[in-house]
Amino acid sequence: MIPRVQKRGSRTVGLIFYLYEPGRCEEHTDPHLVAAWDAFAPDPGRHPDATYDDLAQLLDQPVDALSPSRRPDQHVWHLSVRAAPEDPLLTDEQWADIARRMAAATGIAPTGDDTACRWAAVRHADDHIHIVATLVREDGRRPRLNNDAARAQAEARLLEAEYGLRQLNPGDGTAAIRPTSAERHKAKRENRPQTPREELRETVRHAAAGTMSETEFFDRLAAAGLLVHQRVAPSGDLLGYKVALPDDRNHDGEPVFYAGSTLAPDLSLPRIRKRWTTSQPEPEHGASAGPQWPGPAGAKRRASTTMWQALLVIDHGTDEQIAAHITGAGEVLDALATTSADLTRNELRQAAFLFERATRSHTQAERGHDRALRQAARDLVRSGPALGHGEDGATTAMVIDMAFFLITAAAQWHAKRNHAQQAAAARQTAQHLRTAYRAAARHPMAVLHRQGQHLTQPRLQQQAAHLRRALPELAEQILAEPGWHALAATLADAEAAGHQPAALLTGATRRRELDTADSVSDVLVWRLRRIAELPADAERLPVRGIVPNSRAVLDRGVPGRSDLPRQRR
């Protein structure tokens, strides 16, 4: 159940007119009163002799009784209360009880207070009501409405439990603005999968991922097909922007624009600029992944390494540093969503869309700490769309696997700090990443599995011995997993390339737990193939150039490793 305190107004009759009329999109059906301060309040929806003016005049009487100088300028209070889509259909009597309790909880009409404000609750759709009240009590005083929105939310949590409705997490005021009822009805009428507000928020976030300047940002918005209007001061300085979908028009045929700040708090131009002012110049392209991994495959390998390092910060960093890395992880997901192949695109889009909620909390991100993740997002976007097969397809599984662990760590961090909505969003994101991983990993893991099955028995036993020596506490579990043969093939490839399998296994597990993995062997396959720079696509010929020192490979790409805290094994 979602209560939302709307902006205050000055015309009671104007709000009543809106509540009882059909609505811009004919979305209001059978508008009628379900409860009011007085059981005999006129209902223009059910009584033919009652008018909008009748109800408005009665609500306004305590306001009109004051001298003009004492009347509040904005005396109309408005609260909407909406049930979740999966909730059962509530009766008028149940909505009446909800309205009375909301009026009492918010301070409009406390229980037992005979001189409280006048109010009325109108139902004009199956799933929600609107409560209109005037902000002068019968005794001429003003109501105490401090924290009325928070109190409405608290009451909603109680009502959900009592009525058996979907239990929502308490909000903290950092969420994006939800689509209005009119926007939802319009999207449904036009057969849109999302409201324009949601589609624009997603598109703008994708466009902002990894950008370094205003020019690049606005070029990406235009390339995405959006209509863009920039707000420019007389001095020529850019103050803000707003965007619209070309096919979203109002009744006059004009585009419906949304300012960036109304799409999400972090999409205002000043907030996006903070990303650019803390970014460093772009490093040499491909330097951290080796010249043998060009294009999308190399960008994904670099992103995997960067997310691996970000896990260390979430384990040991300050809250401000962790918040920055979580926002950076959101940009990586946005970049993956826009560059992924058909096989994983829908799941990655859903993951990025959901994780947007987890990137904002009251913990202020210390921008600058997300440089590496933002650069990874930039590399992904600039490397172009993924093809979804060969080395490119296999590294997709590699990067999604690492993203799953990073997002799971973010969920745990939010949960420990009672960020309920953010933690829930991150957990939902992880589920979509699981599904995307299974789709991406199916073929490359099947190839590795076949290769492992073709290993001679002595070679297979040798790899099992390496596993038992490096990970005695996990060895028997891994040997029993379906992915063991794929891991054995990977260990054999690493050994053939000059690495020590036991050392690689130790390095791959010492920095991060594996309890959240569905398959420990799968996780180790991708970690080992990334660390040892083995082809992710096992059908590819072995890479030339042997690296004899496993320790050097383990530490590659981790600047200032000696300054990092030692991990528990």
Side-chain angles (χ1 to χ4, degrees):
M1 179 169 289
I2 303 170
R4 182 188 297 172
V5 177
Q6 311 285 353
K7 291 182 179 179
R8 298 185 184 183
S10 58
R11 294 184 66 248
T12 306
V13 71
L15 179 55
I16 291 175
F17 182 89
Y18 163 75
L19 297 179
Y20 276 96
E21 284 297 295
R24 293 181 180 179
C25 305
E26 302 293 329
E27 69 270 21
H28 300 167
T29 59
D30 186 25
H32 59 280
L33 214 63
V34 293
W37 85 100
D38 188 324
F40 298 102
D43 182 3
R46 294 287 175 87
H47 297 94
D49 296 333
T51 67
Y52 303 154
D53 284 332
D54 292 338
L55 181 56
Q57 287 174 3
L58 286 172
L59 286 167
D60 281 341
Q61 275 185 356
V63 180
D64 294 338
L66 296 177
S67 63
S69 62
R70 294 183 58 202
R71 296 172 189 170
D73 293 333
Q74 304 287 315
H75 71 273
V76 184
W77 183 86
H78 179 198
L79 173 73
S80 63
V81 186
R82 182 178 301 277
E86 63 269 32
D87 284 340
L89 184 65
L90 300 176
T91 66
D92 280 354
E93 290 73 19
Q94 289 172 320
W95 277 119
D97 176 55
I98 291 169
R100 294 186 189 96
R101 290 181 56 172
M102 283 292 178
T106 55
I108 289 294
T111 303
D113 189 344
D114 296 331
T115 59
C117 297
R118 295 188 177 188
W119 61 274
V122 178
R123 182 181 187 182
H124 60 198
D126 287 340
D127 63 347
H128 70 279
I129 60 171
H130 293 263
I131 303 174
V132 53
T134 47
L135 299 180
V136 175
R137 293 163 46 90
E138 298 278 10
D139 56 13
R141 295 185 293 122
R142 305 283 182 86
R144 295 181 178 179
L145 297 180
N146 295 336
N147 298 319
D148 53 348
R151 286 188 280 173
Q153 290 286 349
E155 189 66 24
R157 304 293 83 79
L158 298 176
L159 287 163
E160 288 163 356
E162 293 179 26
Y163 278 97
L165 308 178
R166 177 186 172 188
Q167 292 276 289
L168 300 181
N169 292 311
D172 62 0
T174 63
I177 298 174
R178 296 177 182 272
T180 65
S181 176
E183 290 170 352
R184 284 193 299 271
H185 284 288
K186 181 180 178 181
K188 183 177 180 180
R189 189 179 70 253
E190 296 178 350
N191 294 317
R192 294 178 182 270
Q194 296 173 296
T195 64
R197 182 188 296 275
E198 292 170 315
E199 185 176 346
L200 287 169
R201 183 167 75 239
E202 181 180 21
T203 305
V204 173
R205 285 187 65 86
H206 290 175
T211 55
M212 295 292 180
S213 67
E214 287 180 0
T215 300
E216 184 179 15
F217 173 58
F218 287 113
D219 284 348
R220 285 199 197 173
L221 291 179
L226 301 187
L227 302 178
V228 183
H229 176 77
Q230 297 182 7
R231 186 162 60 91
V232 182
S235 63
D237 294 333
L238 182 60
L239 300 178
Y241 74 98
K242 56 184 179 180
V243 290
L245 298 173
D247 60 345
D248 181 30
R249 305 274 170 162
N250 60 21
H251 284 295
D252 297 325
E254 298 172 341
V256 181
F257 280 92
Y258 294 80
S261 59
T262 66
L263 298 176
D266 54 344
L267 293 182
S268 68
L269 186 59
R271 294 284 293 276
I272 292 177
R273 278 174 172 156
K274 288 184 177 180
R275 309 184 191 191
W276 304 326
T277 57
T278 55
S279 298
Q280 290 180 330
E282 179 184 355
E284 183 181 350
H285 185 69
S288 62
Q292 67 269 39
W293 312 118
K300 290 172 187 173
R301 281 179 173 267
R302 291 190 293 276
S304 299
T305 299
T306 302
M307 288 190 285
W308 173 258
Q309 295 165 14
L311 281 168
L312 298 178
V313 178
I314 292 182
D315 281 342
H316 300 282
T318 66
D319 283 352
E320 292 75 17
Q321 293 170 344
I322 294 169
H325 279 75
I326 290 174
T327 60
E331 293 198 45
V332 173
L333 289 183
D334 287 329
L336 286 172
T338 57
T339 59
S340 58
D342 291 342
L343 189 64
T344 56
R345 181 175 301 146
N346 287 337
E347 292 297 333
L348 289 176
R349 278 192 61 188
Q350 283 297 313
F353 184 81
L354 289 166
F355 194 68
E356 177 260 348
R357 181 66 190 95
T359 61
R360 290 189 306 273
S361 70
H362 284 301
T363 301
Q364 188 67 36
E366 195 171 291
R367 302 310 297 237
H369 290 280
D370 56 351
R371 286 192 192 99
L373 286 166
R374 296 202 70 249
Q375 183 62 53
R378 183 176 178 79
D379 280 354
L380 287 166
V381 172
R382 297 186 69 184
S383 67
L387 300 177
H389 56 262
E391 182 69 13
D392 177 22
T395 51
T396 297
M398 179 185 290
V399 73
I400 294 174
D401 175 75
M402 188 54 66
F404 170 82
F405 279 94
L406 182 58
I407 269 54
T408 299
Q412 294 169 347
W413 180 80
H414 278 307
K416 289 178 181 177
R417 282 147 186 81
N418 297 317
H419 301 164
Q421 289 190 350
Q422 292 86 343
R427 286 192 290 268
Q428 290 176 307
T429 301
Q431 291 306 312
H432 284 282
L433 290 176
R434 282 183 191 272
T435 304
Y437 169 78
R438 294 187 186 111
R442 186 175 294 116
H443 176 71
M445 288 298 292
V447 172
L448 282 169
H449 183 80
R450 288 194 298 270
Q451 291 186 359
Q453 286 182 317
H454 284 96
L455 289 175
T456 64
Q457 194 62 27
R459 290 292 303 281
L460 200 60
Q461 291 175 349
Q462 183 183 23
Q463 304 313 324
H466 291 316
L467 178 67
R468 289 189 175 97
R469 182 164 63 254
L471 307 174
E473 69 283 0
L474 291 173
E476 299 310 316
Q477 173 188 337
I478 294 172
L479 289 170
E481 290 182 350
W484 156 241
H485 285 93
L487 178 57
T490 295
L491 292 171
D493 288 345
E495 194 168 31
H499 299 291
Q500 298 176 11
L504 286 175
L505 284 166
T506 301
T509 57
R510 71 182 177 208
R511 294 181 182 173
R512 191 70 198 169
E513 52 81 22
L514 295 166
D515 294 341
T516 53
D518 285 341
S519 169
V520 176
S521 51
D522 276 30
V523 173
L524 291 175
V525 163
W526 299 120
R527 290 188 186 179
L528 294 182
R529 301 195 84 83
R530 176 182 59 80
I531 292 171
E533 293 194 6
L534 298 171
D537 175 22
E539 293 176 315
R540 174 174 164 163
L541 291 174
V543 179
R544 293 182 179 181
I546 296 175
V547 182
N549 188 339
S550 299
R551 178 65 60 187
V553 175
L554 286 173
D555 295 340
R556 180 176 298 166
V558 187
R561 182 180 179 277
S562 60
D563 298 330
L564 292 174
R566 185 174 298 278
Q567 300 291 298
R568 293 194 302 271
R569 290 179 56 178

